[in-house]
């Protein structure tokens, strides 16, 4: 599978401008024969705590991305915010296939309480997995990376786990270490997709990575805005056969424990 990593500079709460840049990158990725393109968390607004405003801006985003996917025959992963029926808001990541059909829609399970995200966004409850170009794929979002329990569940049926993020520069070492650890302990490919630049007074350093099941960095995007192409093979079974640690994972037990924690 040929993946385009969209390591973007997100102009804070300037959705229309960000969408214009995204459309250009989607067009370019399609011309370069990418099967899919993945954007960071809250892809077109930045990491905003103005939940009501962002949800209002985001209403048309899923349909816009689905139309672009169909027009350019490329799968697209993107973040957006939606209002819930109970008056709360969810921080989402959706992947639609090249026909514009929704493959998965994930809601961030762990809002980042240190920044106050939990005061504005309700945590999700479901792990989602789908098949893209023959590769089982799952996603978590940013702060979720710090919780190995959820990653273990996401990796149960996935060969690739996406981690779209708005990860701050001052904790960039945590970012790389945790991405590599999650790949190693779950024997999966991990793709961290971060943004660059400033959002208000917050600095984002990029450093998007593709990491293989042995923790080897296969692609590092550095600190500049870029569209980076990478290839992933569906060879997880080989890694797990050569050093079969994942077979000892007690998935049913993890599920029970996590369900208890979520009550």
């Amino acid at each position: 599978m040929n993946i385009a990593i969209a390591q973007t500079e997100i102009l804070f709460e300037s959705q229309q401008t960000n969408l214009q840049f995204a459309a250009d990158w989607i067009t370019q990725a399609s011309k370069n024969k990418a099967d899919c393109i993945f954007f960071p968390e809250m892809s077109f607004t930045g990491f905003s705590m103005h939940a009501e405003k962002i949800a209002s801006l985001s209403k048309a985003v899923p349909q816009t991305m689905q139309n672009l996917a169909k027009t350019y025959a490329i799968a697209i992963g993107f973040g957006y915010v939606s209002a819930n029926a109970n008056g709360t808001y969810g921080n989402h990541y959706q992947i639609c296939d090249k026909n514009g059909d929704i493959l998965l829609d994930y809601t961030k399970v762990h809002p980042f309480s240190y920044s106050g995200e939990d005061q504005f966004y309700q945590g999700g409850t479901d792990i989602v997995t789908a098949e893209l170009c023959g590769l089982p794929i799952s996603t978590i979002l940013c702060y979720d990376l710090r919780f190995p329990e959820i990653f273990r569940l996401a990796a149960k049926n996935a060969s690739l786990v996406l981690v779209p993020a708005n990860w701050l520069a001052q904790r960039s070492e945590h970012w790389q270490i945790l991405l590599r650890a999650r790949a190693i302990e779950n024997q999966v490919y991990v793709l961290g997709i971060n943004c660059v630049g400033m959002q208000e007074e917050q600095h984002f350093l990029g450093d998007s990575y593709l990491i293989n099941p042995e923790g080897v960095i296969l692609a590092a995007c550095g600190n500049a805005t870029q569209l980076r192409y990478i290839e992933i093979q569906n060879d997880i079974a080989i890694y797990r056969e050569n050093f079969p640690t994942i077979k000892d994972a007690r998935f049913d037990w993890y599920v029970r424990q996590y369900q208890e924690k979520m009550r």
Side-chain angles (χ1 to χ4, degrees), residues 7 172 175 179 192-196 205-209 220-224:
Q7 183 168 280
S172 60
W175 169 247
L179 288 170
I193 310 138
N194 199 20
C195 57
V196 301
L205 204 56
D207 286 332
S208 299
Y209 293 106
C221 292
N223 309 135

Side-chain angles (χ1 to χ4, degrees), residues 125-129 138-140 147-158 161 186 250-259 262:
T125 58
D126 297 319
I127 307 299
V128 290
T129 305
S138 188
T139 185
I140 65 168
F147 301 90
E149 306 91 343
I150 186 175
F151 211 103
R152 180 71 88 184
L153 296 177
K156 179 180 180 182
N157 299 309
V161 179
N186 294 290
R250 298 172 58 190
F251 285 108
D252 291 342
W253 183 82
Y254 302 141
V255 169
R256 290 197 302 273
Q257 293 297 312
Y258 206 79
Q259 286 174 339
M262 291 296 293

Side-chain angles (χ1 to χ4, degrees), residues 145-148 151 178-186 188 190:
L145 180 62
R146 292 185 178 273
F147 301 90
F151 211 103
L178 290 170
L179 288 170
R180 294 183 72 189
R182 298 294 169 258
I184 293 167
E185 67 195 6
N186 294 290
V188 291
V190 174

Side-chain angles (χ1 to χ4, degrees), residues 61-245:
V61 166
Q63 189 61 59
T64 298
M65 290 295 108
Q66 289 159 33
N67 291 342
L68 285 168
K70 188 174 182 178
T71 298
Y72 293 102
I74 185 171
I76 304 173
F78 60 93
Y80 72 102
V81 169
S82 74
N84 300 322
N86 62 0
T88 62
Y89 299 90
N91 180 353
H92 288 258
Y93 199 82
Q94 184 178 118
I95 299 175
C96 54
D97 67 15
K98 66 179 182 179
N99 299 313
D101 296 325
I102 298 170
L103 291 179
L104 63 79
D105 195 316
Y106 169 75
T107 305
K108 189 176 187 179
V109 169
H110 299 95
F112 186 29
S113 60
Y114 185 80
S115 71
E117 185 182 7
D118 61 322
Q119 298 177 34
F120 304 99
Y121 297 95
Q122 183 176 24
T125 58
D126 297 319
I127 307 299
V128 290
T129 305
E131 190 169 292
L132 178 61
C133 298
L135 193 73
I137 187 170
S138 188
T139 185
I140 65 168
L141 279 172
C142 200
Y143 188 51
D144 286 331
L145 180 62
R146 292 185 178 273
F147 301 90
E149 306 91 343
I150 186 175
F151 211 103
R152 180 71 88 184
L153 296 177
K156 179 180 180 182
N157 299 309
S159 296
L160 168 66
V161 179
L162 303 181
V163 189
N166 279 204
W167 195 283
L168 288 165
Q170 62 260 39
R171 288 183 283 275
S172 60
E173 287 191 4
H174 295 192
W175 169 247
Q176 184 190 127
I177 290 168
L178 290 170
L179 288 170
R180 294 183 72 189
R182 298 294 169 258
I184 293 167
E185 67 195 6
N186 294 290
Q187 295 187 297
V188 291
Y189 285 99
V190 174
L191 176 56
I193 310 138
N194 199 20
C195 57
V196 301
M198 300 296 296
Q199 295 179 29
E200 294 191 304
E201 297 180 357
Q202 303 297 329
H203 183 205
F204 299 89
L205 204 56
D207 286 332
S208 299
Y209 293 106
L210 172 65
I211 300 168
N212 79 3
E214 293 186 340
V216 176
I217 296 173
L218 300 181
C221 292
N223 309 135
T225 300
Q226 65 174 287
L227 187 61
R228 174 73 178 271
Y229 298 94
I230 55 174
E231 192 80 26
I232 294 183
Q233 304 297 324
N234 192 3
D235 56 2
I236 290 295
I238 296 173
Y239 288 99
R240 293 179 174 181
E241 182 178 345
N242 289 340
F243 188 53
T245 61

